[in-house]
Amino acid sequence: MPLSNGDAMDASKAEIADYTTAFEVLKRDYTSSDGLDIKQLIDSDKRGALTYNDFLVLPGYIGFAASEVDLETPVTKRISIKAPLLSSPMDTVTEHSMAIHMALLGGLGVIHHNCSADDQAEMVRKVKRYENGFISDPVVLSPTSTVADAKELKAKWGFGGFPVTENGTLRSKLVGIVTSRDIQFHPKADDAVTAVMSTDLVTAPSGTTLAEANEVLRQSKKGKLPIVDENGELVSLLSRSDLMKNLHYPLSSKLPHSKQLICAAAVGTRPDDKIRLQKLVDAGLDIVILDSSQGNSIYQIEMIKYVKETYPQIDVIGGNVVTREQAAALIAAGVDGLRIGMGSGSACITQEVMAVGRPQAASVYSVSQFAARFGVPCIADGGVQNVGHIVKGLAMGASTVMMGGLLAGTAESPGSYFVSNEGQLVKAYRGMGSIDAMEDKKAGVGGKDNKASNAGTARYFSEKDRVLVAQGVSGSVLDRGSVTKFIPYLMAGVQHSLQDIGVTSLTKLHEGVRDGTVRFEVRSVSAQAEGNVHGLHSFDKRLYS
Ligand code: IMP
């Protein structure tokens, strides 16, 4: 008679089978694989309230190296990235520096909107200009521009090396190039750039392919390669630093037809946000996230339709949602992606104050498996404290995972480090629904003119509200070093985990969960204690080196 999982002991009493027949015995005598399939896992919790800590994934068979595990995944219906990791649109997490580095490392940073529309658009522009193939709209100087102008542009854009043309525009005769070294120690700020620029130029003719131009650049040992037409007029520019970036960041998130980094930013759903969005689109935005703690609203549905009609080239991610019904409303309105989570964020008190929300693993499963029927990828947003939580979010059906608190302590988040009362190096981290963020009191966080506009916190209150009800707290997180080390650690951790599970890619993980070959186990409170460090007198928890 076939045995269920719990009957294994009886089998050993009944017979000592020939060990070479282990697989046959497995097939013949057991009705199902060990552990639970996803449906049984979800049903196992009669309260329907699974969190990431309540379950584990069971190991499978390893027949490949962890480094071979493919983490490519969709973030919207049209756009895929190489690492399933996103940074939150929060003013203590994602400005241009975080967005640039997340994209270079294969993920995506979503630029917050707790600043003026112009500041946010400038951040988008910085991301889009960061890495290029042929730069088709380079910053160009005229012969009357001064050394001070060049220094100012370098400070603004973060790069030097400006072509100088007769009219100071593209499609005008190239007369020289001003590099950082030309202006660095030049004593007279008022001098015209023609006094310091290089005129000994290596150029390539228009029509040169990217590969050919890269080769000319390599050979020339110059920093920039201007591309000129038959009249010597500037057409575009190629930069050596982009060659280096391609070398150092092979996973970077780019659209196939462009060499620029993919840029995502958040906006709200007020009438003003349409003006903001226009500015972001003009700056080159690729993906917009409609930022709301409860996304199933008339405002968001109308905004989704507006974005899809007005900017068909832009992908729109809706949310946040935690139920199938919420998801259905946004899918019907036309979203290209969904963001899942309500109340699970580390700086969040929504569940306590509003009595509304849902445990994160249950939310991710419910929404993702429904959205998958329409080909809509999902982001598991919030509550991620470690690599294991990332894997569990993905195993529940999410395509990507969004993090706030885990990334707020990195060098690329906004704001400066300071020493806490306990003598530790920390950085500020605050919920966008904290009183602090809503009153927008803190200086130095959230863009230059943060005090002028608190659009980002509109997620948590409306202008008509007389009393601000906090849904978040304000605090600090420990220094985590640079994301250039931390993101590769998270990715390597996910790859090792998927290797243990026995799947070679995120696509295979999702398939395995769907067809029941990836198995789960419920984790009791004592199992959770067993799975953590215990019984040691003291220990040092270094996570990577
Ligand atoms: P964390 O990664 O656990 O820190 O969660 C980050 C997520 O928390 C964000 O992406 C938002 O969805 C959410 N969040 C941000 N601010 C607040 C807040 O003030 N209250 C509730 N949730 C918040």
Side-chain angles (χ1 to χ4, degrees):
M1 189 186 49
L3 304 167
S4 68
N5 288 332
D7 294 336
M9 281 302 290
D10 297 342
S12 64
K13 266 187 231 155
E15 56 172 320
I16 302 289
D18 170 7
Y19 67 88
T20 61
T21 63
F23 281 116
E24 284 153 39
V25 170
L26 203 56
K27 237 169 136 184
R28 189 193 63 214
D29 291 351
Y30 295 82
T31 51
S32 65
S33 302
D34 211 347
L36 308 170
D37 66 27
I38 183 99
K39 187 86 187 21
Q40 291 164 328
L41 172 72
I42 297 292
D43 290 348
S44 72
D45 192 318
K46 295 288 177 253
R47 295 156 293 136
L50 277 193
T51 71
Y52 290 148
N53 287 334
D54 292 324
F55 69 96
L56 288 167
V57 190
L58 291 185
Y61 170 70
I62 299 177
F64 51 89
S67 59
E68 288 168 32
V69 173
D70 180 6
L71 298 183
E72 179 151 357
T73 190
V75 66
T76 64
K77 281 186 202 166
R78 293 187 288 196
I79 299 179
S80 287
I81 52 178
K82 301 259 171 19
L85 307 172
L86 271 56
S87 67
S88 294
M90 299 171 75
D91 62 9
T92 47
V93 181
T94 312
E95 293 191 340
H96 56 278
S97 177
M98 179 68 82
I100 287 169
H101 286 91
M102 288 297 290
L104 284 174
L105 295 160
L108 211 53
V110 184
I111 297 173
H112 75 86
H113 56 126
N114 205 26
C115 55
S116 73
D118 287 332
D119 275 1
Q120 196 185 12
E122 189 161 319
M123 292 192 247
V124 170
R125 218 166 269 124
K126 283 182 176 161
V127 177
K128 294 307 292 181
R129 275 181 183 269
Y130 189 75
E131 187 170 27
N132 299 276
F134 287 115
I135 307 167
S136 55
D137 58 345
V139 179
V140 181
L141 294 175
S142 85
T144 54
S145 306
T146 61
V147 168
D149 294 335
K151 283 188 174 170
E152 200 175 305
L153 285 171
K154 181 171 174 352
K156 177 175 176 188
W157 292 113
F159 57 81
F162 305 111
V164 182
T165 65
E166 280 178 353
N167 294 344
T169 60
L170 205 64
R171 303 258 165 218
S172 162
K173 195 164 171 53
L174 180 70
V175 293
I177 280 199
V178 180
T179 67
S180 301
R181 284 181 196 170
D182 295 328
I183 54 173
Q184 198 172 25
F185 298 116
H186 191 75
K188 293 191 189 148
D190 290 344
D191 275 355
V193 285
T194 43
V196 296
M197 71 186 185
S198 319
T199 48
D200 156 32
L201 303 175
V202 176
T203 61
S206 56
T208 308
T209 65
L210 189 59
E212 287 163 354
N214 276 334
E215 195 45 44
V216 177
L217 192 58
R218 241 179 241 128
Q219 306 256 336
S220 73
K221 301 193 179 134
K222 302 269 184 195
K224 298 275 187 297
L225 178 70
I227 311 294
V228 292
D229 66 12
E230 62 282 4
N231 302 319
E233 293 182 354
L234 181 68
V235 178
S236 63
L237 193 69
L238 202 66
S239 167
R240 173 174 288 271
S241 57
D242 289 338
L243 279 185
M244 300 311 291
K245 284 169 205 156
N246 281 331
L247 225 63
H248 291 139
Y249 298 106
L251 300 179
S252 54
S253 304
K254 297 176 199 160
L255 295 175
H257 58 272
S258 154
K259 291 280 165 188
Q260 295 178 321
L261 297 176
I262 297 173
C263 185
V267 304
T269 53
R270 295 177 180 192
D272 271 4
D273 285 297
K274 293 185 178 168
I275 300 167
R276 177 182 287 267
L277 181 58
Q278 178 66 59
K279 293 187 180 201
L280 303 184
V281 172
D282 290 344
L285 189 73
D286 302 296
I287 300 173
V288 64
I289 290 200
L290 302 182
D291 195 21
S292 167
S293 58
Q294 208 290 50
N296 186 16
S297 69
I298 176 88
Y299 314 109
Q300 182 157 145
I301 289 166
E302 279 173 3
M303 189 69 164
I304 292 164
K305 290 181 182 162
Y306 169 80
V307 179
K308 293 308 299 175
E309 267 165 37
T310 320
Y311 308 105
Q313 77 281 20
I314 301 286
D315 281 6
V316 54
I317 296 178
N320 280 26
V321 293
V322 292
T323 69
R324 278 194 297 273
E325 288 72 20
Q326 286 178 297
L330 304 192
I331 291 170
V335 282
D336 301 298
L338 283 170
R339 185 173 165 211
I340 306 169
M342 191 175 192
S344 59
S346 59
C348 172
I349 52 172
T350 300
Q351 293 184 2
E352 185 184 321
V353 177
M354 318 298 279
V356 180
R358 197 174 195 184
Q360 186 65 348
S363 307
V364 176
Y365 170 72
S366 222
V367 174
S368 304
Q369 59 91 278
F370 180 70
R373 301 180 64 177
F374 307 89
V376 175
C378 292
I379 303 167
D381 170 27
V384 169
Q385 294 166 18
N386 48 45
V387 177
H389 288 170
I390 295 176
V391 174
K392 289 174 179 181
L394 297 168
M396 288 295 105
S399 295
T400 55
V401 167
M402 180 177 273
M403 295 159 290
L406 208 61
L407 298 174
T410 61
E412 288 75 10
S413 71
S416 312
Y417 288 104
F418 60 95
V419 179
S420 71
N421 291 340
E422 295 76 37
Q424 288 164 309
L425 201 56
V426 295
K427 256 191 174 186
Y429 179 53
R430 63 184 189 183
M432 296 310 297
S434 63
I435 294 291
D436 252 359
M438 287 194 288
E439 288 184 346
D440 224 358
K441 273 185 196 152
K442 280 204 173 159
V445 184
K448 275 189 290 192
D449 66 350
N450 195 19
K451 285 179 184 165
S453 161
N454 51 13
T457 55
R459 178 178 161 101
Y460 296 100
F461 76 102
S462 102
E463 263 149 17
K464 293 188 202 115
D465 292 347
R466 274 179 295 127
V467 179
L468 296 181
V469 177
Q471 290 191 46
V473 300
S474 173
S476 63
V477 289
L478 282 179
D479 168 26
R480 275 195 192 278
S482 168
V483 287
T484 55
K485 291 253 161 61
F486 191 55
I487 293 292
Y489 154 69
L490 295 179
M491 286 177 70
V494 173
Q495 285 179 310
H496 278 281
S497 166
L498 264 53
Q499 184 196 34
D500 277 351
I501 295 168
V503 292
T504 52
S505 67
L506 285 178
T507 315
K508 291 265 188 275
L509 174 70
H510 287 157
E511 270 171 29
V513 170
R514 256 197 316 272
D515 68 23
T517 49
V518 170
R519 312 292 289 180
F520 298 91
E521 190 61 280
V522 178
R523 210 174 175 215
S524 64
V525 174
S526 50
Q528 291 178 39
E530 180 188 69
N532 281 319
V533 180
H534 53 271
L536 270 67
H537 170 58
S538 69
F539 66 93
D540 180 19
K541 198 168 175 182
R542 280 179 65 206
L543 290 175
Y544 61 97
S545 71

